[in-house]
Amino acid sequence: MSAVQFSTKRMKYDTANSDIVKLFDGFRDELDRRNDKFERIVKVSRDITIQSKRVIFNLHRKPAGCQAGERELESILEDATEKLTALRVHFKKISKELEGEDTHRFHRAFTNGVQEFIEALSFLYLLQNNCIISPSQVEKHLNGCPLLMSDYIAGLADLTGEIMRMCICFAGKNCHSEAIRLRDLLFEINTGIRLCNVSGRGMSQKEEVMLQSLIKCEASNYKLVIRQLEKESMCRDKGL
């Protein structure tokens, strides 16, 4: 092979190799862009999670009992509403990051924040309206951030833990009607979620926690009924 032929082949090889390098450089840049976007969304989601947990904690400070203080309750609910409304800015950031992107590709980055927010929002809505918030109502608070049905159901599954705590608290204060109402609500949520048969990361564990919460509510109501029966029996024995 002459020097000219060797040089020509080398040039063709270098050109082809250069095209491949450029192609992989493009892949690298695209992966870096997606990873950076993923991390930005994770940071925003983490802020949403932290603030939502604070709201849930504050909502548990509401007066518990059959004669709860209305003024203190209204103050706590207003404060929770303001804090959750302020999170619209964070959801807008996620919405902008997802423009032109495949939502499912970045779902893992924001799902925890959305679920925690739904738990806090549904808890607030329950205290205000004595019913469960709908997916369409949740979407109004997400400011363009996509709502997957799996996130909505997971958020409601987490809500059952807060309902269980309220139920036990009412039972401990001898508020039988409220304790029974919350027990029935917990049963309905538990049944509905299981009928949906949603699969996803952590759902089987959430369903197990829901069942344990329901069992705890049943036990607390059972003890309350037993106490009431014992009290009535003692009153009859004393002729009261």
Side-chain angles (χ1 to χ4, degrees):
M1 180 184 295
S2 65
V4 175
Q5 289 175 325
F6 178 81
S7 178
T8 302
K9 285 190 175 183
R10 182 59 184 268
M11 288 178 62
K12 290 181 179 179
Y13 174 81
D14 290 342
T15 301
N17 190 49
S18 177
D19 292 339
I20 293 175
V21 170
K22 289 180 180 179
L23 180 64
F24 276 90
D25 284 345
F27 293 156
R28 179 200 60 201
D29 294 340
E30 177 64 16
L31 287 174
D32 287 343
R33 184 190 70 81
R34 290 181 183 177
N35 288 336
D36 291 342
K37 183 186 291 285
F38 190 93
E39 290 302 321
R40 289 195 299 270
I41 295 175
V42 167
K43 290 179 181 179
V44 177
S45 177
R46 191 177 296 122
D47 292 337
I48 294 173
T49 299
I50 293 172
Q51 187 69 351
S52 297
K53 286 183 180 294
R54 288 173 179 166
V55 169
I56 293 171
F57 177 79
N58 288 336
L59 287 175
H60 275 297
R61 291 173 47 234
K62 86 174 194 65
C66 301
Q67 302 296 329
E70 291 295 329
R71 183 175 299 178
E72 184 180 355
L73 175 60
E74 289 179 4
S75 175
I76 292 174
L77 296 181
E78 288 177 3
D79 180 66
T81 301
E82 290 177 3
K83 289 180 177 178
L84 291 180
T85 301
L87 291 178
R88 289 176 60 87
V89 177
H90 293 73
F91 284 115
K92 191 62 179 178
K93 292 179 181 179
I94 295 178
S95 177
K96 288 184 177 180
E97 291 284 3
L98 294 176
E99 288 180 357
E101 300 285 356
D102 182 0
T103 300
H104 294 278
R105 180 172 289 164
F106 294 92
H107 178 238
R108 193 162 52 89
F110 65 86
T111 180
N112 290 336
V114 171
Q115 289 181 28
E116 197 70 36
F117 176 79
I118 292 174
E119 180 183 358
L121 180 64
S122 58
F123 191 20
L124 173 63
Y125 192 86
L126 175 64
L127 296 176
Q128 291 175 326
N129 304 282
N130 288 324
C131 60
I132 298 301
I133 193 169
S134 67
S136 59
Q137 291 169 319
V138 172
E139 283 183 314
K140 295 177 181 178
H141 292 80
L142 297 184
N143 208 11
C145 179
L147 173 64
L148 277 68
M149 190 54 61
S150 59
D151 287 340
Y152 171 74
I153 292 176
L156 291 187
D158 292 334
L159 172 66
T160 58
E162 317 311 329
I163 296 176
M164 178 268 294
R165 292 180 182 89
M166 288 178 59
C167 179
I168 292 176
C169 185
F170 277 120
K173 294 180 180 294
N174 292 324
C175 297
H176 192 204
S177 60
E178 283 297 313
I180 290 294
R181 182 182 68 84
L182 291 172
R183 189 279 314 272
D184 292 343
L185 177 62
L186 182 55
F187 179 81
E188 291 177 5
I189 296 174
N190 189 2
T191 302
I193 290 179
R194 290 181 183 278
L195 288 175
C196 290
N197 194 25
V198 176
S199 60
R201 188 164 60 95
M203 271 309 299
S204 60
Q205 183 179 357
K206 290 179 185 292
E207 290 180 356
E208 179 62 28
V209 172
M210 278 195 302
L211 179 60
Q212 294 301 319
S213 296
L214 183 58
I215 292 173
K216 291 177 182 178
C217 286
E218 291 283 7
S220 64
N221 278 282
Y222 176 78
K223 292 177 182 178
L224 177 58
V225 172
I226 294 298
R227 287 201 303 269
Q228 289 178 336
L229 292 175
E230 289 176 344
K231 184 177 180 180
E232 292 174 1
S233 178
M234 291 176 63
C235 290
R236 285 197 301 269
D237 292 342
K238 293 180 180 180
L240 299 177

